[in-house]
Amino acid sequence: MIESVLAGLAGMGTLAGAGYLCLGVVVGLVFGAVPGLGGVTAIALLLPLTFGMDPGLAIILVGGVMGATSFGGSIPAILINAPGIALNAATTFDGYPMARQGKAGMAIGAAAAASTLGGIIGIAILFAVIPIAKQIVLAFGPPEFFMLAVLGLSAIAVSTGGAFLRGLISALFGLALAFIGYDAFSGGTRFTLGSEYLWDGIPLVPALVGVFAIGEMINLTLRGGSVAEAREAVRISRVWDGIRAVFRNYPILLRGSAIGTFVGALPGVGGTVAAFLSYSAAVQVSKHPETFGKGEIQGVIAPESANNAKDGGSLIPTLAFGIPGSAETAIFLGVLILHGMEPGPMLLIEHEGVMFSLILAVMGSSMLASLIGLALARHLALITLIDIHLLVPAVISVALVGVYAINGSFGDVILALIFGLIGYLMIRFGFPRITLVIALVLGSLAERTFHQSLAMSDGNWSVFADRPIALGLMIVALICLILPAARFLWRSRAGRAGPKSQ
Amino acid sequence: MSTTARGMVSALAVLALALIYLSWAYSYPSPARDLPVLVGWVLLALALLDIAAHTPSRVGRYLRQLLSGQALDADRDAGAGAPPPLRRHLGAMAWPVGFVGAVWLVGFLAASALFVFAFMTVQGRARPLAALLAASVITGVIWLGFEIGMRYETFRGVLFGG
């Protein structure tokens, strides 16, 4: 492991490595700062552009983006009450009031320091878990991996907040799409409509670019205007006071980082939940909870530390099991496929050095993002004034050129367009896209391990219950599936008990 | 269309897709159809549940809250503004479709320039000169990035030998 870490460091230490890291950070900051874009769109856009690159450098670039978008999104959240990405929403609660009180610089300084330290703590926990993760991976067989895929899909669906049922429907739709193409077990093709293009299945990169980048741009077309409605020049000052405040409030930092890492490790749950949990935990333990929501700096530190720590957490299931922990890591798996690395349980074992490049890039990015972000804070805020009518055609044009560049196939462009329309319809009708994408990634793993499990047991389905780890995962998956109903029933009972006690 | 009606329409669409998928899956022999059939049946069941959850009845309301813990869609509608008309949705979707059509005909460089110019002037009501400048810059970036930087020839379009 030490050799792999040193190899990863060496990769980043070259001029090219450092250059791509900085580029990734700048892209991440810009995309994080523009509401409606975000890290998912950034990585989806960069994905086809990494085609001709060295795999190690491509991963450093993507790691740079992943570590930077959270802080990029906090700047408009603080300055104009418009979170750059969903996981910065909790930052607006106290960040914007601070800006209105003339303390924007202090809030941004606190966000920068909390993001950096939260990201480092998340990666440190990841480093601690990796050696154990490898042992766990080797103890898993086909039944365990199938149940893990089922658990991953169940957990993701539950994590979609109030769209649990639609999250499940999206996941099943994704699985259905994953079955398109050649089937190794029967030796024939399925659902290809006679098209040779689909013999190898749905290519992941065009699908991801379509669902996230194109779909999002269609949605922005409807919104129109620009993100910020008025040009606000905010004096950025007292940044160092904000940085010092993070160290003074280290319990909040540590708690937020732990929450972010743990929640980030749950597939599909993501930084938004982590940020809100961290914020509410900070309110609950505070001696002065009434100050939150009115410009309390702890209300900035808590969510910002969590939403960067989640990057390390989300890499745990991604690298150990090939199960994406977030939308960004799902698209990151597309980067791996593009560069000939098969996502899955053996990734950490066969490509350890490359994976450590990613981990170190994410850590380096969260540090670099804060430094660059602080220097560019006011300019980043001006990005929110860019007219959407310039942004949309630019992003669509570049995205589709990139998709075409992968294989030189116009079929990829058409597929990206189709998935873009699907992605937009999913936004409009409230179907989570993240579950579709993760199911598309997990589908082939799920089917392969399903058939392998039945082959091992001569067709006996009890193989999933006879093995303790598989049984445990199945039970957890069932708990995930009944969780929304249980929560509702508990809340109903609590609501009925309240009036009676009076 | 209210949120509830929109939900019902989409739930019915999912039901139709599930039925089509299931019948298609059954056309394959085992083991090729095993998992697709399983997925199809579960999708069908969930689609029916979704339809039931969007009915304007006590059962529908109970199902909605049981499955999502969300407040009634009607409650959310009360605070929300009127959704855009259908033609605006179709218009928004037509832009990338038109762009891909233009790419097929005249290639990426020409189509990108046309797309940016048309989108900014028609959708954004920008001044033609500003739109022309933006189109030139973005096309220039694509040309520099792909054809010069990556030494990759972009698709030229069927009219120009692509």
Side-chain angles (χ1 to χ4, degrees):
Chain A
M1 181 168 142
I2 304 286
E3 296 84 9
S4 300
V5 173
L6 291 173
L9 272 171
M12 273 174 49
T14 61
L15 194 62
Y20 277 110
L21 181 65
C22 289
L23 177 64
V25 166
V26 171
V27 170
L29 283 172
V30 169
F31 273 75
V34 181
L37 293 184
V40 173
T41 307
I43 299 174
L45 208 58
L46 284 175
L47 207 166
L49 301 180
T50 66
F51 178 58
M53 289 170 62
D54 173 77
L57 292 175
I59 282 165
I60 287 172
L61 176 65
V62 171
V65 173
M66 283 170 66
T69 48
S70 303
F71 177 60
S74 66
I75 294 175
I78 291 166
L79 293 179
I80 58 172
N81 202 28
I85 45 182
L87 54 81
N88 296 117
T91 307
T92 63
F93 297 163
D94 281 279
Y96 184 59
M98 285 185 73
R100 293 186 71 182
Q101 293 162 18
K103 297 180 197 168
M106 210 168 139
I108 289 175
S115 294
T116 300
L117 294 170
I120 291 171
I121 292 170
I123 295 294
I125 295 174
L126 173 63
F127 267 116
V129 166
I130 278 178
I132 310 166
K134 277 162 66 172
Q135 302 305 318
I136 295 172
V137 166
L138 292 171
F140 272 47
E144 285 76 19
F145 282 117
F146 175 71
M147 276 303 147
L148 200 57
V150 171
L151 171 60
L153 291 169
S154 308
I156 291 156
V158 168
S159 72
T160 52
F164 168 64
L165 183 59
R166 298 213 148 182
L168 276 182
I169 290 173
S170 292
L172 289 166
F173 186 43
L175 280 180
L177 290 172
F179 296 146
I180 293 174
Y182 179 73
D183 173 41
F185 287 91
S186 63
T189 55
R190 295 175 302 187
F191 310 110
T192 59
L193 291 165
S195 164
E196 281 184 26
Y197 174 77
L198 293 174
W199 276 12
D200 286 331
I202 299 278
L204 192 59
V205 171
L208 292 174
V209 170
V211 163
F212 287 112
I214 309 296
E216 202 58 52
M217 290 306 106
I218 298 174
N219 196 36
L220 279 181
T221 301
L222 263 184
R223 205 168 78 193
S226 63
V227 174
E229 290 174 0
R231 186 178 286 269
E232 285 187 58
V234 179
R235 279 184 62 225
I236 311 285
S237 61
R238 296 181 64 192
V239 169
W240 280 105
D241 289 346
I243 294 172
R244 275 194 288 269
V246 172
F247 289 97
R248 274 202 312 273
N249 292 280
Y250 69 90
I252 293 179
L253 170 73
L254 292 174
R255 187 185 313 116
S257 302
I259 290 173
T261 308
F262 175 71
V263 173
L266 301 174
V269 178
T272 312
V273 172
F276 276 104
L277 278 177
S278 178
Y279 183 85
S280 69
V283 172
Q284 281 163 27
V285 302
S286 171
K287 289 175 188 167
H288 303 284
E290 69 281 359
T291 61
F292 282 78
K294 296 170 188 163
E296 168 60 60
I297 199 162
Q298 294 177 352
V300 172
I301 295 169
E304 285 297 314
S305 57
N307 65 30
N308 262 66
K310 71 107 177 73
D311 291 329
S314 68
L315 285 174
I316 295 172
T318 308
L319 299 183
F321 304 109
I323 293 177
S326 64
E328 287 94 344
T329 49
I331 300 177
F332 165 70
L333 292 183
V335 175
L336 294 180
I337 292 170
L338 193 62
H339 291 276
M341 285 177 269
E342 183 70 28
M346 300 309 289
L347 188 68
L348 201 56
I349 293 164
E350 292 172 355
H351 300 283
E352 193 179 47
V354 175
M355 292 308 105
F356 275 108
S357 289
L358 171 71
I359 294 168
L360 292 168
V362 171
M363 185 169 75
S365 167
S366 64
M367 292 189 282
L368 209 53
S370 296
L371 291 171
I372 297 176
L374 284 173
L376 299 176
R378 187 177 307 147
H379 303 292
L380 284 172
L382 289 177
I383 287 170
T384 57
L385 294 170
I386 293 177
D387 196 324
I388 279 168
H389 299 108
L390 172 59
L391 202 64
V392 167
V395 170
I396 291 178
S397 301
V398 174
L400 291 179
V401 173
V403 161
Y404 180 78
I406 301 168
N407 293 312
S409 164
F410 198 75
D412 287 346
V413 176
I414 295 174
L415 190 86
L417 173 68
I418 292 171
F419 271 85
L421 298 175
I422 290 172
Y424 173 67
L425 290 172
M426 292 179 79
I427 296 170
R428 276 291 121 196
F429 289 107
F431 287 90
R433 291 168 292 164
I434 173 72
T435 53
L436 177 137
V437 161
I438 291 179
L440 197 55
V441 171
L442 288 180
S444 58
L445 170 73
E447 188 172 32
R448 187 176 69 245
T449 52
F450 176 75
H451 285 299
Q452 285 171 343
S453 303
L454 291 184
M456 279 167 62
S457 62
D458 295 324
N460 194 341
W461 283 59
S462 67
V463 67
F464 300 112
D466 291 341
R467 295 161 71 105
I469 298 176
L471 179 62
L473 291 169
M474 192 193 321
I475 291 170
V476 176
L478 285 169
I479 291 172
C480 284
L481 289 171
I482 63 172
L483 200 58
R487 217 177 340 197
F488 165 69
L489 291 170
W490 182 80
R491 254 193 247 136
S492 301
R493 197 166 295 169
R496 276 199 293 271
K500 280 183 190 169
S501 64
Q502 292 170 7
Chain B
M1 198 189 287
S2 70
T3 308
T4 311
R6 202 161 61 229
M8 179 61 86
V9 165
S10 55
L12 287 168
V14 171
L15 178 69
L17 284 171
L19 287 168
I20 293 169
Y21 182 74
L22 201 51
S23 61
W24 198 353
Y26 269 113
S27 68
Y28 297 105
S30 189
R33 72 178 187 201
D34 290 352
L35 221 45
V37 163
L38 178 64
V39 165
W41 277 111
V42 177
L43 192 57
L44 188 66
L46 291 180
L48 290 170
L49 206 56
D50 201 20
I51 288 169
H54 280 91
T55 53
S57 62
R58 277 183 69 180
V59 172
R61 178 187 180 143
Y62 184 79
L63 276 175
R64 267 202 302 280
Q65 291 187 310
L66 183 73
L67 293 169
S68 70
Q70 284 287 297
L72 261 185
D73 289 342
D75 296 336
R76 276 190 284 167
D77 270 345
L86 178 64
R87 60 178 169 78
R88 284 196 60 200
H89 291 287
L90 293 175
M93 292 163 75
W95 281 106
V97 173
F99 172 62
V100 170
V103 169
W104 184 72
L105 280 173
V106 298
F108 272 108
L109 294 176
S112 297
L114 285 168
F115 181 36
V116 173
F117 182 81
F119 194 91
M120 286 185 71
T121 50
V122 174
Q123 190 78 21
R125 308 229 189 281
R127 284 182 297 192
L129 197 58
L132 192 61
L133 185 64
S136 306
V137 168
I138 289 165
T139 307
V141 165
I142 292 173
W143 177 71
L144 276 171
F146 286 90
E147 304 228 353
I148 306 297
M150 288 167 66
R151 293 194 194 132
Y152 183 80
E153 188 178 304
T154 58
F155 184 67
R156 289 287 186 252
V158 294
L159 290 181
F160 299 121

